[in-house]
PDB file of all heavy atoms in Angstrom:
ATOM      1  N   MET B  43      13.791  -2.263  -1.203  1.00 96.00           N
ATOM      2  CA  MET B  43      15.075  -1.855  -0.828  1.00 96.00           C
ATOM      3  C   MET B  43      15.597  -0.789  -1.779  1.00 96.00           C
ATOM      4  O   MET B  43      15.440  -0.950  -2.996  1.00 96.00           O
ATOM      5  CB  MET B  43      16.052  -3.109  -0.818  1.00 96.00           C
ATOM      6  CG  MET B  43      17.321  -2.920  -0.214  1.00 96.00           C
ATOM      7  SD  MET B  43      17.965  -4.516   0.228  1.00 96.00           S
ATOM      8  CE  MET B  43      18.350  -5.242  -1.338  1.00 96.00           C
ATOM      9  N   GLY B  44      16.126   0.257  -1.324  1.00 94.00           N
ATOM     10  CA  GLY B  44      16.707   1.288  -2.227  1.00 94.00           C
ATOM     11  C   GLY B  44      17.538   2.271  -1.503  1.00 94.00           C
ATOM     12  O   GLY B  44      17.386   2.434  -0.256  1.00 94.00           O
ATOM     13  N   SER B  45      18.376   3.072  -2.150  1.00 93.00           N
ATOM     14  CA  SER B  45      19.206   4.106  -1.469  1.00 93.00           C
ATOM     15  C   SER B  45      18.376   5.139  -0.940  1.00 93.00           C
ATOM     16  O   SER B  45      17.180   5.265  -1.200  1.00 93.00           O
ATOM     17  CB  SER B  45      20.125   4.765  -2.525  1.00 93.00           C
ATOM     18  OG  SER B  45      20.615   3.751  -3.421  1.00 93.00           O
ATOM     19  N   SER B  46      18.974   6.049  -0.063  1.00 92.00           N
ATOM     20  CA  SER B  46      18.239   7.236   0.408  1.00 92.00           C
ATOM     21  C   SER B  46      17.845   8.142  -0.729  1.00 92.00           C
ATOM     22  O   SER B  46      18.557   8.265  -1.705  1.00 92.00           O
ATOM     23  CB  SER B  46      19.228   8.057   1.319  1.00 92.00           C
ATOM     24  OG  SER B  46      19.508   7.263   2.407  1.00 92.00           O
ATOM     25  N   GLY B  47      16.628   8.594  -0.558  1.00 94.00           N
ATOM     26  CA  GLY B  47      16.042   9.571  -1.610  1.00 94.00           C
ATOM     27  C   GLY B  47      15.551   8.948  -2.861  1.00 94.00           C
ATOM     28  O   GLY B  47      15.235   9.613  -3.860  1.00 94.00           O
ATOM     29  N   THR B  48      15.390   7.624  -2.922  1.00 95.00           N
ATOM     30  CA  THR B  48      14.834   6.891  -4.073  1.00 95.00           C
ATOM     31  C   THR B  48      13.318   6.900  -4.101  1.00 95.00           C
ATOM     32  O   THR B  48      12.765   6.432  -5.088  1.00 95.00           O
ATOM     33  CB  THR B  48      15.308   5.434  -4.276  1.00 95.00           C
ATOM     34  OG1 THR B  48      15.212   4.744  -3.022  1.00 95.00           O
ATOM     35  CG2 THR B  48      16.714   5.322  -4.794  1.00 95.00           C
ATOM     36  N   GLY B  49      12.733   7.350  -3.053  1.00 96.00           N
ATOM     37  CA  GLY B  49      11.166   7.360  -3.076  1.00 96.00           C
ATOM     38  C   GLY B  49      10.536   6.361  -2.206  1.00 96.00           C
ATOM     39  O   GLY B  49       9.344   6.067  -2.476  1.00 96.00           O
ATOM     40  N   LYS B  50      11.274   5.730  -1.244  1.00 97.00           N
ATOM     41  CA  LYS B  50      10.633   4.658  -0.438  1.00 97.00           C
ATOM     42  C   LYS B  50       9.514   5.263   0.415  1.00 97.00           C
ATOM     43  O   LYS B  50       8.382   4.759   0.597  1.00 97.00           O
ATOM     44  CB  LYS B  50      11.661   3.971   0.455  1.00 97.00           C
ATOM     45  CG  LYS B  50      12.881   3.356  -0.403  1.00 97.00           C
ATOM     46  CD  LYS B  50      13.793   2.602   0.497  1.00 97.00           C
ATOM     47  CE  LYS B  50      14.629   3.491   1.441  1.00 97.00           C
ATOM     48  NZ  LYS B  50      15.453   4.546   0.775  1.00 97.00           N
ATOM     49  N   SER B  51       9.892   6.368   1.035  1.00 96.00           N
ATOM     50  CA  SER B  51       8.788   7.048   1.909  1.00 96.00           C
ATOM     51  C   SER B  51       7.606   7.472   1.133  1.00 96.00           C
ATOM     52  O   SER B  51       6.529   7.359   1.443  1.00 96.00           O
ATOM     53  CB  SER B  51       9.339   8.091   2.769  1.00 96.00           C
ATOM     54  OG  SER B  51      10.293   7.611   3.636  1.00 96.00           O
ATOM     55  N   GLN B  95       8.960   6.207  10.363  1.00 86.00           N
ATOM     56  CA  GLN B  95      10.426   6.121  10.570  1.00 86.00           C
ATOM     57  C   GLN B  95      10.750   6.661  11.964  1.00 86.00           C
ATOM     58  O   GLN B  95      11.508   5.984  12.698  1.00 86.00           O
ATOM     59  CB  GLN B  95      11.145   6.871   9.459  1.00 86.00           C
ATOM     60  CG  GLN B  95      12.642   6.658   9.463  1.00 86.00           C
ATOM     61  CD  GLN B  95      13.304   7.185   8.238  1.00 86.00           C
ATOM     62  OE1 GLN B  95      12.671   7.384   7.214  1.00 86.00           O
ATOM     63  NE2 GLN B  95      14.520   7.415   8.257  1.00 86.00           N
ATOM     64  N   GLU B 173      11.493   2.193   6.953  1.00 96.00           N
ATOM     65  CA  GLU B 173      12.844   2.003   7.570  1.00 96.00           C
ATOM     66  C   GLU B 173      12.874   1.652   9.025  1.00 96.00           C
ATOM     67  O   GLU B 173      13.355   2.436   9.908  1.00 96.00           O
ATOM     68  CB  GLU B 173      13.580   3.417   7.330  1.00 96.00           C
ATOM     69  CG  GLU B 173      13.587   3.830   5.918  1.00 96.00           C
ATOM     70  CD  GLU B 173      15.009   3.929   5.301  1.00 96.00           C
ATOM     71  OE1 GLU B 173      15.938   3.367   5.887  1.00 96.00           O
ATOM     72  OE2 GLU B 173      15.156   4.535   4.259  1.00 96.00           O
ATOM     73  N   THR B 205      13.600  -0.218   3.311  1.00 96.00           N
ATOM     74  CA  THR B 205      14.865  -0.170   3.927  1.00 96.00           C
ATOM     75  C   THR B 205      16.027   0.041   3.009  1.00 96.00           C
ATOM     76  O   THR B 205      15.863  -0.150   1.786  1.00 96.00           O
ATOM     77  CB  THR B 205      15.038  -1.494   4.708  1.00 96.00           C
ATOM     78  OG1 THR B 205      16.211  -1.374   5.545  1.00 96.00           O
ATOM     79  CG2 THR B 205      15.202  -2.640   3.805  1.00 96.00           C
ATOM     80  N   HIS B 206      17.115   0.608   3.555  1.00 93.00           N
ATOM     81  CA  HIS B 206      18.391   0.475   2.756  1.00 93.00           C
ATOM     82  C   HIS B 206      19.353  -0.444   3.402  1.00 93.00           C
ATOM     83  O   HIS B 206      20.545  -0.597   3.044  1.00 93.00           O
ATOM     84  CB  HIS B 206      19.007   1.899   2.668  1.00 93.00           C
ATOM     85  CG  HIS B 206      19.369   2.510   3.917  1.00 93.00           C
ATOM     86  ND1 HIS B 206      18.610   3.512   4.506  1.00 93.00           N
ATOM     87  CD2 HIS B 206      20.348   2.279   4.841  1.00 93.00           C
ATOM     88  CE1 HIS B 206      19.129   3.878   5.715  1.00 93.00           C
ATOM     89  NE2 HIS B 206      20.185   3.162   5.837  1.00 93.00           N
ATOM     90  N   ASP B 207      18.786  -1.203   4.376  1.00 93.00           N
ATOM     91  CA  ASP B 207      19.662  -2.137   5.233  1.00 93.00           C
ATOM     92  C   ASP B 207      19.460  -3.592   4.577  1.00 93.00           C
ATOM     93  O   ASP B 207      18.485  -4.311   4.792  1.00 93.00           O
ATOM     94  CB  ASP B 207      19.055  -2.069   6.648  1.00 93.00           C
ATOM     95  CG  ASP B 207      19.636  -3.076   7.623  1.00 93.00           C
ATOM     96  OD1 ASP B 207      20.264  -3.985   7.192  1.00 93.00           O
ATOM     97  OD2 ASP B 207      19.448  -2.853   8.821  1.00 93.00           O
ATOM     98  N   LEU B 221      14.417  -0.978  -5.585  1.00 96.00           N
ATOM     99  CA  LEU B 221      13.877   0.232  -6.253  1.00 96.00           C
ATOM    100  C   LEU B 221      15.132   1.104  -6.614  1.00 96.00           C
ATOM    101  O   LEU B 221      16.022   1.400  -5.862  1.00 96.00           O
ATOM    102  CB  LEU B 221      13.076   0.985  -5.216  1.00 96.00           C
ATOM    103  CG  LEU B 221      12.527   2.348  -5.541  1.00 96.00           C
ATOM    104  CD1 LEU B 221      11.530   2.205  -6.684  1.00 96.00           C
ATOM    105  CD2 LEU B 221      11.753   2.966  -4.263  1.00 96.00           C
ATOM    106  N   ASP B 222      15.112   1.460  -7.918  1.00 94.00           N
ATOM    107  CA  ASP B 222      16.164   2.401  -8.466  1.00 94.00           C
ATOM    108  C   ASP B 222      15.560   3.196  -9.555  1.00 94.00           C
ATOM    109  O   ASP B 222      14.810   2.641 -10.420  1.00 94.00           O
ATOM    110  CB  ASP B 222      17.383   1.635  -8.964  1.00 94.00           C
ATOM    111  CG  ASP B 222      18.469   2.513  -9.395  1.00 94.00           C
ATOM    112  OD1 ASP B 222      18.716   3.575  -8.694  1.00 94.00           O
ATOM    113  OD2 ASP B 222      19.100   2.249 -10.443  1.00 94.00           O
ATOM    114  N   PHE B 242      23.509  -1.886 -10.713  1.00 90.00           N
ATOM    115  CA  PHE B 242      23.001  -1.205  -9.554  1.00 90.00           C
ATOM    116  C   PHE B 242      22.802  -2.208  -8.360  1.00 90.00           C
ATOM    117  O   PHE B 242      23.219  -1.968  -7.225  1.00 90.00           O
ATOM    118  CB  PHE B 242      21.698  -0.398  -9.785  1.00 90.00           C
ATOM    119  CG  PHE B 242      21.214   0.273  -8.541  1.00 90.00           C
ATOM    120  CD1 PHE B 242      21.767   1.369  -7.996  1.00 90.00           C
ATOM    121  CD2 PHE B 242      20.210  -0.377  -7.857  1.00 90.00           C
ATOM    122  CE1 PHE B 242      21.203   1.946  -6.798  1.00 90.00           C
ATOM    123  CE2 PHE B 242      19.763   0.194  -6.557  1.00 90.00           C
ATOM    124  CZ  PHE B 242      20.271   1.263  -6.100  1.00 90.00           C
ATOM    125  N   PHE B 246      24.811  -2.202  -4.945  1.00 89.00           N
ATOM    126  CA  PHE B 246      24.011  -1.996  -3.683  1.00 89.00           C
ATOM    127  C   PHE B 246      24.277  -3.131  -2.715  1.00 89.00           C
ATOM    128  O   PHE B 246      24.475  -2.865  -1.480  1.00 89.00           O
ATOM    129  CB  PHE B 246      22.556  -1.841  -4.046  1.00 89.00           C
ATOM    130  CG  PHE B 246      21.705  -1.333  -2.936  1.00 89.00           C
ATOM    131  CD1 PHE B 246      21.664  -0.021  -2.713  1.00 89.00           C
ATOM    132  CD2 PHE B 246      20.972  -2.182  -2.046  1.00 89.00           C
ATOM    133  CE1 PHE B 246      20.907   0.535  -1.652  1.00 89.00           C
ATOM    134  CE2 PHE B 246      20.248  -1.591  -0.998  1.00 89.00           C
ATOM    135  CZ  PHE B 246      20.175  -0.265  -0.803  1.00 89.00           C
TER     136      PHE B 246
END
Side-chain angles (χ1 to χ4, degrees):
M43 191 159 70
S45 317
S46 295
T48 44
K50 301 183 296 298
S51 297
Q95 192 166 339
E173 304 245 17
T205 190
H206 61 258
D207 175 343
L221 176 63
D222 182 41
F242 175 79
F246 194 81

